Amino acid sequence: VIRIDPTPTPLPPLTPLPVLANHDFEQGRKGWSEVVQPVGGTPAPGKLIYSITENPVAGVQENYYAWLGGARDQINELKQIIVQLPAGYSDIRLRFLYRIRSQETNCNNDLVQVRINGTAVNVNPEPGNQHQLCGAMSTFKSAVTDNLADYSGKLVELSFWTQLNGTLNSNYFLDVVELCSDQVDAPVGTRNCKQP
């Protein structure tokens, strides 16, 4: 008896990764929730997206950027619900540009996190740059999160979160936030996470 295995059904092609609402902040304060909260206090709507006319910051890609921190004993959170991540991906990550200007030398005093559904995810900055809210950077750098494939096929909330203590000041500047993938069968035009 010769067994003939059925021809495997090919998997459907991957659908493109969604583009985040106002991913480069060039629509001003649209698409994102801006939350400002005194440490131990109540969260409230605030202002975290600025133009370079209001507050010039060197290295912003165009005219708008997000600014978290800058006030002692305060928590800032910039967030949005991402359109459902498409199913079938084994590699989905978040890529963004950031710059730090901080007086802190102790990197445990002021905190920064990238969160998915309220849980912090690891961030992989360029070699030699720690993703911590301390020290100072002269230019914007690119960073990429760990793989988010566990959320493939799910609706997720993305947020950038900072918490400053009552001593030295820290600033976290953010620009151009986008999903990326290095998966070989990703659709044409998908942002590659390894690209500069």
Side-chain angles (χ1 to χ4, degrees):
V1 175
I2 299 175
R3 191 181 79 178
I4 301 175
D5 291 331
T7 303
T9 304
L11 294 173
L14 296 173
T15 56
L17 294 174
V19 176
L20 275 64
N22 193 16
H23 76 285
D24 57 3
F25 304 109
E26 290 307 304
Q27 297 175 38
R29 299 179 65 195
K30 295 180 180 178
W32 296 87
S33 294
E34 304 162 88
V35 179
V36 175
Q37 173 186 352
V39 172
T42 303
K47 181 173 172 63
L48 300 175
I49 297 174
Y50 293 83
S51 73
I52 56 175
T53 303
E54 295 171 276
N55 187 55
V57 172
V60 173
Q61 291 293 297
E62 294 186 51
N63 298 306
Y64 287 87
Y65 63 95
W67 176 16
L68 288 78
R72 297 181 182 116
D73 283 323
Q74 191 175 91
I75 296 169
N76 292 165
E77 188 168 25
L78 183 72
K79 58 186 177 180
Q80 73 167 263
I81 302 294
I82 300 178
V83 176
Q84 183 170 335
L85 296 181
Y89 278 84
S90 60
D91 179 58
I92 300 178
R93 286 174 278 167
L94 191 71
R95 179 187 172 94
F96 56 92
L97 300 174
Y98 75 103
R99 181 180 175 190
I100 290 170
R101 192 164 62 210
S102 173
Q103 299 169 328
E104 289 284 3
T105 56
N106 182 338
C107 297
N108 296 314
N109 284 343
D110 293 338
L111 306 174
V112 59
Q113 293 178 351
V114 179
R115 296 176 168 184
I116 298 293
N117 294 344
T119 300
V121 296
N122 290 331
V123 174
N124 304 291
E126 291 182 351
N129 291 311
Q130 293 180 319
H131 194 70
Q132 296 174 317
L133 198 46
C134 55
M137 297 164 52
S138 59
T139 60
F140 276 82
K141 302 291 184 184
S142 176
V144 181
T145 65
D146 278 355
N147 194 353
L148 306 177
D150 287 348
Y151 299 97
S152 182
K154 299 177 182 177
L155 187 73
V156 298
E157 180 186 77
L158 155 72
S159 65
F160 292 86
W161 176 94
T162 61
Q163 178 174 319
L164 274 59
N165 69 1
T167 58
L168 301 173
N169 200 0
S170 294
N171 301 272
Y172 185 79
F173 303 108
L174 178 68
D175 203 359
V176 189
V177 183
E178 55 195 342
L179 293 166
C180 64
S181 177
D182 291 338
Q183 194 163 324
V184 294
D185 59 343
V188 173
T190 298
R191 176 66 149 130
N192 189 290
C193 298
K194 294 176 183 174
Q195 288 176 340

